[in-house]
């Protein structure tokens, strides 16, 4: 079964760019307000930060880019539900195979290292006599 992916063209309107710019300005404003209100109580600074960040996220999500992000998240969740996860027994077996392979490779590399060390230092250079 062949699937075709339609070509997606992204067309940014000036209104969409304005929404993204506004969201960016709100994020910068939120951080600036947090520090500019340093004489105020911490709870007030945090509320100002959270309100401005929430406004920025809200504006971003109604932009075309935000809508595409939401659609991507929904598609990802839908695809995740299609995954066939291994049973506990299969997962434990595969984990055992990985540990065994790592152990065998560690022994192989240790033996190779010691053999090369012996050949180089004892036989070729004669340093350990």
């Amino acid at each position: 079964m062949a699937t075709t992916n339609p070509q997606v063209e992204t067309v940014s309107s000036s209104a969409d760019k304005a929404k993204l710019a506004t969201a960016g300005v709100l994020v910068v404003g939120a951080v600036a307000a947090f520090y500019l209100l340093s004489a105020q109580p911490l709870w007030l600074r945090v509320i100002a930060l959270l309100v401005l960040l929430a406004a920025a996220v809200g504006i971003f999500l109604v932009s075309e880019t935000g809508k595409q992000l939401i659609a991507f998240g929904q598609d990802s969740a839908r695809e995740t539900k299609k995954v066939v996860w291994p049973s506990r027994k299969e997962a434990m077996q595969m984990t055992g195979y990985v540990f065994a392979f790592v152990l065998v490779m560690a022994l192989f590399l240790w033996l190779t290292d010691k053999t090369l060390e012996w050949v180089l230092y004892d036989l070729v250079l004669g340093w350990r006599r």
Side-chain angles (χ1 to χ4, degrees):
M1 174 174 89
T3 60
T4 59
N5 292 331
Q7 293 296 328
V8 177
E9 284 188 35
T10 304
V11 179
S12 292
S13 67
S14 58
D16 197 48
K17 290 179 183 177
K19 288 176 188 176
L20 293 176
T22 304
V25 168
L26 282 172
V27 168
V28 172
V31 174
F34 183 81
Y35 288 107
L36 290 175
L37 295 173
S38 61
Q40 302 300 320
L42 180 62
W43 66 269
L44 183 64
R45 295 169 59 198
V46 170
I47 287 177
L49 177 75
L50 292 177
V51 166
L52 289 172
L53 286 178
V57 168
I59 290 174
F60 173 76
L61 290 178
V62 296
S63 71
E64 187 59 35
T65 306
K67 291 176 185 176
Q68 289 174 355
L69 180 66
I70 291 170
F72 176 76
Q74 290 171 341
D75 289 343
S76 298
R78 196 174 310 117
E79 288 298 320
T80 303
K81 291 177 184 176
K82 295 178 185 178
V83 173
V84 178
W85 298 101
S87 67
R88 179 174 174 81
K89 181 181 175 187
E90 292 169 334
M92 296 300 282
Q93 285 177 341
M94 291 307 296
T95 303
Y97 295 151
V98 169
F99 279 126
F101 179 76
V102 167
L103 181 66
V104 168
M105 285 305 298
L107 287 172
F108 171 74
L109 291 173
W110 179 78
L111 283 172
T112 303
D113 179 56
K114 290 301 172 186
T115 302
L116 288 174
E117 178 184 334
W118 174 71
V119 167
L120 182 65
Y121 290 124
D122 289 350
L123 297 181
V124 175
L125 297 175
W127 286 359
R128 294 187 183 174
R129 289 189 184 181

